[in-house]
Amino acid sequence: MKVLIAIFILLVSVTFKKCDNKTFILNETKTYFPLPDSLRGWRTLTGPEEIKKVAGIDPFKLNSAFDFVRTTTDNGGLLVVKNGYLVYEKYFGKGQREATPNLGSCGKSFTSIAVGILMDERPDLFPKGLNQKIFTPDYLPFNAFPLPDSRMADIQLGQLLSFTAGIRGNNPVFVNGIAREIDPVGPDGWYALVDTYALGIETGRMGKVPFSTQSLWCNPGEGYSYATASIHIASIMLRHITGNELEDYIDTHLATPLGWGRWGFGYKYARQVAHTPGGGGIALRSTDMLRFCYLLLNEGNWKGEQIVPKEYVRKATKASPYNPHFTYSLQFNINSNGSIPELPRDAYWKTGSGGHCFYVVPSLELIVWKMGGRDGQYGSNDTGLSEPEMLFEPLQSLPSDDNNRGDVYIKTLELIIKSCI
């Protein structure tokens, strides 16, 4: 009997935890998830020693990473979450927690994740998964037909999402890792976010540079081209199937369950962009970008609910059979082949015009948001969202050392990893 009582007392002692004069049941296996910022937000730690001990990262060394980030853009910030704790948050210029700048191509990853959710919702439309050929009236609007290039009928969804569909984008393009040039190029920036340009219904010019998507530059699957029009077509497909704009779909399936604050999409100044720009431009608060990254870190699970299929997150963030040509998966840069030896092989990230970049490193329980942005990306003329008042005496950017920059995105993450204990 005494042995049983002792065991019972031991179980009670590890099951209950005293905190703030209240007793709570402590489930050590339960994964932490942050509350919305309006309800306390991310958990934090007190002081550098506790951060080192609990989160396993040196905040003083993170200052070096922040100072480097300040040399890369006029505005921005650096936020780091380690082991589920927000251990670092500093801004400069127009950067601040309530800022919602146009995040450029970082938005491409959100489109990809939305497509992953759609595939799970409508398995009847995607019986072949990412092998599904989607240039048919079941997936695209009537004005996409007849197809301007008959080879488009063979484009698989996985190719569309990994930029190997043959749709024209920027130079250089890559075939089995070898760089090549195409002429004409495809549309870039807001031009690629116009349905008629993306689908090849119309051609146009970016200044003096002509562009076209009316013909594929290679057969589907035979090469990689960073083609913003390609991922915008994915959003056209989602809109056609659901009857909803991509922004509304993200609001229902991501923003609401994750507890985002105010957010939206940019390129409001481009009057020809009549729908949610699936090729980029999401305008998101910094701590909400971390929530998106944390969702990915937990393989699509949020508070016990599988918001994004786990298998899709895995396929999207690792080397893809749909893209043997370049280290780019389903709208994420990846290091699965170890081409960047300074970074873990499971690291993945996505950059956006203006110097933005988010990172996820599962093996280190690490997510990072490198905020950037040109002045105009912060304005309501771009996002339609009011710009918050400048912080009192904000930190400013630092002069860049062009002799020691390299790839600023890779160096940023490298500096942060060196801060891990």
Side-chain angles (χ1 to χ4, degrees):
M1 179 64 70
K2 290 182 179 180
V3 174
L4 292 175
I5 293 173
I7 293 173
F8 175 77
I9 293 172
L10 178 62
L11 289 173
V12 169
S13 68
V14 298
T15 305
F16 292 88
K17 181 181 180 182
K18 199 74 171 176
C19 180
D20 296 333
N21 298 319
K22 296 180 180 179
T23 303
F24 297 92
I25 294 178
L26 177 65
N27 182 352
E28 297 293 351
T29 63
K30 186 176 181 180
T31 302
Y32 162 82
F33 288 93
L35 294 169
D37 283 351
S38 60
L39 298 174
R40 197 169 62 225
W42 286 89
R43 66 181 179 182
T44 58
L45 295 166
T46 304
E49 292 307 315
E50 188 179 19
I51 290 174
K52 289 179 184 179
K53 181 179 179 180
V54 177
I57 196 166
D58 188 337
F60 293 117
K61 290 184 179 180
L62 288 175
N63 286 329
S64 297
F66 176 66
D67 287 342
F68 174 71
V69 168
R70 289 171 66 191
T71 71
T72 65
T73 54
D74 290 336
N75 311 290
L78 180 66
L79 290 84
V80 179
V81 169
K82 183 76 165 63
N83 296 348
Y85 291 92
L86 178 57
V87 297
Y88 198 86
E89 181 180 11
K90 287 187 178 180
Y91 302 96
F92 61 96
K94 288 179 174 287
Q96 56 173 291
R97 181 179 284 199
E98 295 305 317
T100 52
N102 179 334
L103 304 181
S105 288
C106 290
K108 290 178 167 67
S109 300
F110 290 79
T111 303
S112 173
I113 292 301
V115 169
I117 297 171
L118 174 66
M119 293 173 66
D120 188 57
E121 283 187 331
R122 296 295 307 273
D124 56 309
L125 282 174
F126 300 95
K128 296 182 179 179
L130 291 168
N131 289 334
Q132 195 70 46
K133 295 179 180 180
I134 53 89
F135 275 71
T136 76
D138 287 335
Y139 304 91
L140 296 176
F142 74 92
N143 64 337
F145 305 94
L147 298 174
D149 187 324
S150 61
R151 294 175 295 174
M152 292 177 177
D154 293 323
I155 293 175
Q156 298 175 359
L157 179 58
Q159 296 166 342
L160 191 76
L161 294 172
S162 62
F163 287 163
T164 59
I167 293 173
R168 294 175 182 272
N170 302 333
N171 278 316
V173 299
F174 291 86
V175 177
N176 295 323
I178 300 174
R180 298 185 180 180
E181 300 283 318
I182 57 172
D183 185 23
V185 295
D188 196 16
W190 69 260
Y191 298 93
L193 310 175
V194 177
D195 287 10
T196 53
Y197 290 155
L199 292 169
I201 298 170
E202 294 182 292
T203 61
R205 287 179 174 271
M206 299 175 289
K208 295 182 178 180
V209 179
F211 65 79
S212 174
T213 58
Q214 291 187 335
S215 65
L216 301 183
W217 71 272
C218 69
N219 292 326
E222 293 185 358
Y224 163 89
S225 174
Y226 191 87
T228 298
S230 184
I231 187 64
H232 183 66
I233 292 172
S235 73
I236 296 174
M237 177 194 73
L238 183 146
R239 188 195 326 143
H240 180 70
I241 292 172
T242 67
N244 294 314
E245 288 285 346
L246 174 65
E247 183 172 354
D248 296 329
Y249 193 82
I250 290 176
D251 187 62
T252 301
H253 293 79
L254 291 176
T256 297
L258 270 59
W260 293 356
R262 66 182 194 134
W263 72 284
F265 271 88
Y267 300 108
K268 296 291 192 296
Y269 60 85
R271 303 304 179 193
Q272 288 177 268
V273 178
H275 299 281
T276 304
I282 198 165
L284 197 62
R285 297 166 65 253
S286 292
T287 47
D288 291 334
M289 174 59 84
L290 291 178
R291 287 177 173 84
F292 176 70
C293 294
Y294 202 62
L295 173 71
L296 298 175
L297 181 68
N298 286 282
E299 296 187 312
N301 187 282
W302 191 265
K303 297 182 178 179
E305 180 184 356
Q306 199 64 41
I307 292 177
V308 189
K310 179 184 295 186
E311 190 61 24
Y312 186 84
V313 175
R314 290 177 174 176
K315 289 179 179 179
T317 58
K318 293 178 175 61
S320 175
Y322 297 99
N323 188 2
H325 308 284
F326 193 71
T327 55
Y328 196 79
S329 190
L330 309 180
Q331 297 306 307
F332 296 88
N333 295 93
I334 47 95
N335 193 39
S336 301
N337 64 356
S339 60
I340 305 172
E342 297 83 6
L343 304 183
R345 284 189 174 226
D346 65 343
Y348 56 91
W349 60 97
K350 186 70 188 78
T351 65
S353 175
H356 306 288
C357 187
F358 68 78
Y359 310 82
V360 180
V361 188
S363 59
L364 296 176
E365 287 289 318
L366 175 71
I367 58 176
V368 178
W369 172 232
K370 176 192 180 297
M371 188 184 198
R374 299 178 292 273
D375 284 358
Q377 288 179 300
Y378 284 78
S380 59
N381 182 54
D382 191 325
T383 66
L385 301 171
S386 59
E387 187 174 348
E389 292 185 11
M390 288 280 288
L391 297 176
F392 179 71
E393 295 184 351
L395 293 172
Q396 299 301 317
S397 59
L398 295 173
S400 62
D401 182 359
D402 292 330
N403 296 321
N404 190 33
R405 285 173 68 90
D407 187 317
V408 298
Y409 302 110
I410 302 306
K411 184 171 181 178
T412 297
L413 184 56
E414 185 181 354
L415 288 170
I416 291 167
I417 289 175
K418 286 181 178 178
S419 302
C420 295
I421 300 172

